[in-house]
Amino acid sequence: MEFISPLVFTFLTSFICIRFGKPVALRLGLVDNPSSRKLHKGSIPLVGGIAIFIGVLMASMVYIPQSQELNLYLIAAALIVFIGVLDDFYDLPVKPRIVAQILVATMMIFGANLYLDNLGDLFGFGEIRLSLFGMVFTIIAVVGAINAFNMVDGIDGLAGMLSVITFSSLAFLLSQTGNEWFLLPVLFIAATMAYLMFNLEWPNRKFKKIFMGDAGSMLIGLTVIWLLVVGTQ
């Protein structure tokens, strides 16, 4: 029962952002047009990722206790969403995107002091400690996770449903260990469900199609790797 209020708040915030953001995106040209690689019909607004971020941001400020680590995550998330929006507008080259992702990883490492140091007993010979190399390894993991979710976003509902399943697992595992971050993936589930109603045009066609864009897929990738590092280290 304690999850109902933040779930409803996040869902409604994202839903409202989508409804009001769609006409704005169409006027600004923040749309995905058909091409040889994109077989959808018409210009589809790319507001899903922005709406998910705003929903999670607003709910985090209300329902999650404020801390330096949370604020750093929200700043990093805002930066990755900003880069994603620019990419959706201008189709940025690879280099500035990678630079931004590395910057976000360094914020995670040196700001929040979160990085992969212990890989556990992977091979049965004892714990594997990465020490300083763990920082480099974390940068590679962050860039890899962000781009992995970005590449998955190619079929209606795929990235959204995959993220819901991932965030559900993370919420369960973090709650079992009493980790204070467990509410963040819950908020993402609610925000993503609002997005999926439009992306899949469900439960009826009145919910006109939108995409999450690079802003959404990169935000999800960053959040997943951030929570994985929090939960494992």
Side-chain angles (χ1 to χ4, degrees):
M1 296 296 291
E2 63 182 300
F3 294 146
I4 293 179
S5 181
L7 279 170
V8 172
F9 181 91
T10 311
F11 177 88
L12 290 178
T13 303
S14 295
F15 188 93
I16 292 170
C17 287
I18 293 171
R19 290 300 297 263
F20 285 95
K22 286 170 61 180
V24 175
L26 289 170
R27 283 198 295 269
L28 294 177
L30 183 58
V31 296
D32 196 13
N33 294 307
S35 67
S36 59
R37 297 185 298 109
K38 303 173 182 179
L39 304 181
H40 59 268
K41 297 180 179 179
S43 299
I44 308 298
L46 296 167
V47 296
I50 300 172
I52 290 172
F53 173 69
I54 293 175
V56 172
L57 173 65
M58 298 298 292
S60 297
M61 296 172 65
V62 175
Y63 293 103
I64 300 180
Q66 298 302 296
S67 65
Q68 181 180 354
E69 290 78 11
L70 176 64
N71 291 335
L72 281 166
Y73 161 75
L74 293 174
I75 293 171
L79 175 59
I80 211 69
V81 169
F82 176 70
I83 294 298
V85 170
L86 289 180
D87 192 27
D88 289 331
F89 261 122
Y90 304 112
D91 195 16
L92 297 177
V94 173
K95 184 178 292 185
R97 283 185 288 158
I98 296 297
V99 169
Q101 292 164 12
I102 292 174
L103 176 59
V104 166
T106 58
M107 291 172 61
M108 176 179 174
I109 295 167
F110 298 107
N113 196 31
L114 289 171
Y115 61 94
L116 293 164
D117 173 59
N118 188 344
L119 298 184
D121 188 8
L122 282 177
F123 305 108
F125 301 112
E127 291 186 346
I128 300 174
R129 310 291 300 205
L130 299 178
S131 299
L132 292 178
F133 178 70
M135 297 181 181
V136 177
F137 190 79
T138 302
I139 292 174
I140 297 172
V142 170
V143 173
I146 290 173
N147 287 287
F149 272 89
N150 193 20
M151 292 175 66
V152 163
D153 187 26
I155 301 175
D156 287 347
L158 179 59
M161 290 305 300
L162 180 62
S163 65
V164 167
I165 294 170
T166 304
F167 285 129
S168 298
S169 302
L170 286 168
F172 174 76
L173 294 172
L174 291 171
S175 66
Q176 293 300 300
T177 60
N179 195 297
E180 61 184 6
W181 285 84
F182 79 95
L183 189 56
L184 184 64
V186 174
L187 302 181
F188 264 92
I189 293 169
T192 305
M193 292 304 296
Y195 157 75
L196 283 170
M197 290 181 66
F198 290 87
N199 181 242
L200 299 176
E201 298 177 287
W202 180 88
N204 60 57
R205 295 287 179 176
K206 289 194 295 184
F207 297 103
K208 298 299 183 182
K209 185 178 294 294
I210 63 166
F211 293 153
M212 68 169 61
D214 291 338
S217 58
M218 291 200 296
L219 171 65
I220 290 171
L222 170 66
T223 307
V224 168
I225 189 63
W226 193 294
L227 292 173
L228 285 171
V229 175
V230 166
T232 58
Q233 304 303 304

